[in-house]
Amino acid sequence: MNKFNIIGEALPNIPWEEKPENHHAPVWRHSQNPVIKRNPVNGVSRIFNSAVVPYEGKYIGVFRAELVNGRPHLHLGWSEDALKWDIDENRIEFVDENGDPYQPNYAYDPRLLKVEDTYYIIWCTDFYGAAIGVAKTKDFKEFVRLENPFLPFNRNGVLFPRRINGNYVMLSRPSDSGHTPFGDIFLSESPDLTFWGKHRHVMSKGGDGWWQAVKIGGGPAPIETSEGWLMFYHGVTGTCNGLVYSMGSVILDLENPSKVKYRSKNFVLTPEEWYEEKGFVDNVIFPCATLTDADTGRIAIYYGAADTYVGVAYTTVDEIIKYTIENHEDIADDNELGK
């Protein structure tokens, strides 16, 4: 019997592999990684940092597609098992709320989730600099792009899968116009996805470990559990050979998610396999999506690998929460409201 529970729906066809024998880490890789390789579809050189959701008994995804001219856009994909994907050669075409074209100049690192009866895509867009874009759809045929929620410069927009105290809640990582050499995670609220406020500091970079010393950023949409909001995030360290992106785990308070309850001092996944260590950008693990099964507690994590491939990893709600609690580290004022 699980000590901790996922608060959500059953997903009996979730992709899954049991933990390998003698594997001691709380997260383990899919044995056939990467699940999306180079040149996956005509006109697209690389797909990575992408998001998936269950849809009508199957799976649908929004993928960061680097075109053969080097510019990123968002493409749809479909799958029976969430491992083998058919990717659309054409990018998603967005319209504004009046039905007029509202296409970003570029789009990358999408998150995808369902809130109530609507699916939302959050990505990094061009709003006179890197900023957060938001769009909604109910049928994956029409995509209505909303007003930009924040000013530039900002990245890693992550929407919570339900309203909290009546408001939509989004995490973000304010940045600068380049590859930010700093960065903490903040939270903002909105009654209508148009007007945003009640900004709170959530998490600081740093701690005793060096794996998240340079910056951090939100990953997949937080998972509601009996212990709090479970979230995977990326942490970045600097080395003599460049930046290294790893994945960590944190549990936020259910009703005040700007408060950190538990945060692992260790990474739970770091570049070790060839498809994570070598690619367009070496040494990157960048989580963007999870699938969860409330009945079994199983979690499948989708991550970009070396800015070139899509990888999948697995854990259970019991294992990852137990590990996060047992390896908790207080960093700065993470456990405060952040007001």
Side-chain angles (χ1 to χ4, degrees), residues 21-44:
E21 190 175 354
N22 298 320
H23 185 88
H24 302 295
V27 174
W28 55 98
R29 295 168 175 82
H30 179 64
S31 62
Q32 300 301 309
N33 272 348
V35 297
I36 299 181
K37 300 178 174 63
R38 287 181 182 266
N39 303 303
V41 67
N42 184 41
V44 175

Side-chain angles (χ1 to χ4, degrees), residues 86-269:
D86 293 320
I87 309 294
D88 195 335
E89 291 185 9
N90 300 309
R91 68 185 183 182
I92 295 173
E93 297 293 335
F94 295 98
V95 298
D96 65 19
E97 295 185 88
N98 295 320
D100 298 321
Y102 190 17
Q103 198 67 14
N105 291 324
Y106 58 74
Y108 61 84
D109 296 352
R111 276 71 166 183
L112 173 65
L113 78 161
K114 187 178 183 181
V115 183
E116 299 168 359
D117 64 347
T118 303
Y119 294 89
Y120 293 93
I121 307 169
I122 304 96
W123 72 93
C124 183
T125 197
D126 177 24
F127 179 43
Y128 299 91
I132 292 172
V134 180
K136 63 182 180 180
T137 184
K138 293 190 176 183
D139 56 9
F140 289 96
K141 296 177 181 177
E142 181 183 55
F143 298 86
V144 178
R145 185 175 167 192
L146 307 181
E147 291 281 350
N148 299 301
F150 308 130
L151 296 169
F153 303 99
N154 208 326
R155 291 180 173 87
N156 298 306
V158 181
L159 193 65
F160 280 70
R162 68 166 172 86
R163 297 181 191 231
I164 301 175
N165 300 318
N167 285 337
Y168 296 94
V169 179
M170 188 188 297
L171 301 171
S172 68
R173 205 277 308 287
S175 62
D176 60 21
S177 59
H179 285 277
T180 310
F182 63 86
D184 288 355
I185 296 175
F186 288 77
L187 172 153
S188 303
E189 298 184 28
S190 173
D192 54 9
L193 293 172
T194 299
F195 299 100
W196 292 86
K198 293 188 175 180
H199 309 295
R200 302 286 186 267
H201 180 270
V202 181
M203 296 168 60
S204 298
K205 65 178 184 179
D208 287 340
W210 287 2
W211 69 274
Q212 54 185 338
V214 174
K215 58 183 174 180
I216 56 176
I223 301 166
E224 188 171 4
T225 78
S226 54
E227 188 61 34
W229 293 104
L230 167 65
M231 186 178 74
F232 300 99
Y233 68 99
H234 67 263
V236 184
T237 189
T239 75
C240 59
N241 197 36
L243 299 176
V244 176
Y245 284 67
S246 303
M247 183 173 75
S249 59
V250 64
I251 300 166
L252 307 176
D253 185 85
L254 275 181
E255 296 307 314
N256 291 291
S258 66
K259 292 183 177 181
V260 172
K261 292 182 66 177
Y262 305 102
R263 176 177 175 181
S264 176
K265 62 186 177 184
N266 308 320
F267 54 70
V268 298
L269 201 68

Side-chain angles (χ1 to χ4, degrees), residues 265-325:
K265 62 186 177 184
N266 308 320
F267 54 70
V268 298
L269 201 68
T270 197
E272 295 176 335
E273 298 294 331
W274 65 265
Y275 51 87
E276 301 160 350
E277 294 179 325
K278 292 296 180 183
F280 191 75
V281 179
D282 295 347
N283 297 314
V284 176
I285 284 177
F286 194 95
C288 276
T290 57
L291 297 173
T292 62
D293 177 24
D295 283 356
T296 62
R298 293 173 174 176
I299 302 172
I301 308 163
Y302 289 75
Y303 65 95
D307 279 16
T308 306
Y309 311 101
V310 173
V312 175
Y314 304 110
T315 189
T316 66
V317 67
D318 264 4
E319 182 142 10
I320 193 63
I321 289 182
K322 180 174 181 287
Y323 183 88
T324 306
I325 292 173

